Every structure is written in structure tokens, then in C-alpha cells.
Amino acid sequence: MVLLRRELGDVLRDVRLAQSKTLREVSAAARVSLGYLSEIERGQKEASSELLSSVCDALDVPLWALLREVSDRIALAEGVRIPDTVPADLEASVRPFAAAV
């Protein structure tokens, strides 16, 4: 079973690690206790919208982008194929130009 809190925690951790930030740095910037943020990242606690907003601000990531990534991961876990956003005919028409670059 896919749990929203686990996927959300995984995405938050991935973003934090990609920025080479520690839990302590993010918790201080977001004004969230280190232990609570750790529990959120491990999928053990549910995060409120206010807390998510604070953490996103601390990570300099828009909330919509975080939620989009969580949504995509849940869709993949449930076996849904996420469609390519570039129409095939457009991609085919651009391909010769991309090869030249």
C-alpha cells in the first residue's frame, strides 16, 4: 500500500540531500523541531500544510513542485503510466535540430 506520508517524506529527504543540507539546517530555517522533521522524512508523522510550506521555503522549493513529485511517485507506484508532456509530432519535428546542437 502506498502511503502519502512516506512518499512525501522520501521527496523531502531527496530534495534536502540534493542540496547537501542537514536536517538541523532545514529544521532551523523552517522553525520545526529536528526530531519532528526527521519523523516526517521517515514517513512516521503527517505534515500539516503550514509545516510543508515552511519546509519548502527552507529548501527554496515551491510547494506545487514538491506535491507534483509526490503525485508522480504515487502514480508510478500504483502502476499508472505518466504520459510524456511533449506530443510525438512536436518531438519528431524538433529532433533534427536537437541533433545539430
Side-chain angles (χ1 to χ4, degrees), residues 46-94:
E46 299 282 349
S48 69
S49 57
E50 292 86 358
L51 183 133
L52 284 177
S53 181
S54 293
V55 173
C56 284
D57 287 346
L59 292 170
D60 197 29
V61 173
L63 179 59
W64 68 263
L66 176 84
L67 295 176
R68 173 78 185 260
E69 179 64 21
V70 171
S71 176
D72 287 351
R73 288 183 184 203
I74 290 172
L76 289 172
E78 292 180 346
V80 175
R81 182 180 171 275
I82 300 172
D84 192 347
T85 57
V86 178
D89 57 337
L90 177 61
E91 182 180 5
S93 69
V94 175

Side-chain angles (χ1 to χ4, degrees), residues 2-99:
V2 179
L3 292 178
L4 176 62
R5 70 175 185 259
R6 284 196 188 135
E7 294 300 326
L8 184 63
D10 287 347
V11 172
L12 285 171
R13 184 183 317 103
D14 290 347
V15 170
R16 179 179 60 78
L17 293 175
Q19 295 180 9
S20 300
K21 292 185 178 179
T22 65
L23 267 173
R24 187 172 308 282
E25 291 169 331
V26 176
S27 69
R31 295 185 178 163
V32 176
S33 78
L34 183 117
Y36 195 66
L37 183 57
S38 175
E39 288 179 311
I40 289 169
E41 281 194 0
R42 289 181 281 134
Q44 296 177 336
K45 295 286 184 182
E46 299 282 349
S48 69
S49 57
E50 292 86 358
L51 183 133
L52 284 177
S53 181
S54 293
V55 173
C56 284
D57 287 346
L59 292 170
D60 197 29
V61 173
L63 179 59
W64 68 263
L66 176 84
L67 295 176
R68 173 78 185 260
E69 179 64 21
V70 171
S71 176
D72 287 351
R73 288 183 184 203
I74 290 172
L76 289 172
E78 292 180 346
V80 175
R81 182 180 171 275
I82 300 172
D84 192 347
T85 57
V86 178
D89 57 337
L90 177 61
E91 182 180 5
S93 69
V94 175
R95 192 167 292 150
F97 302 108

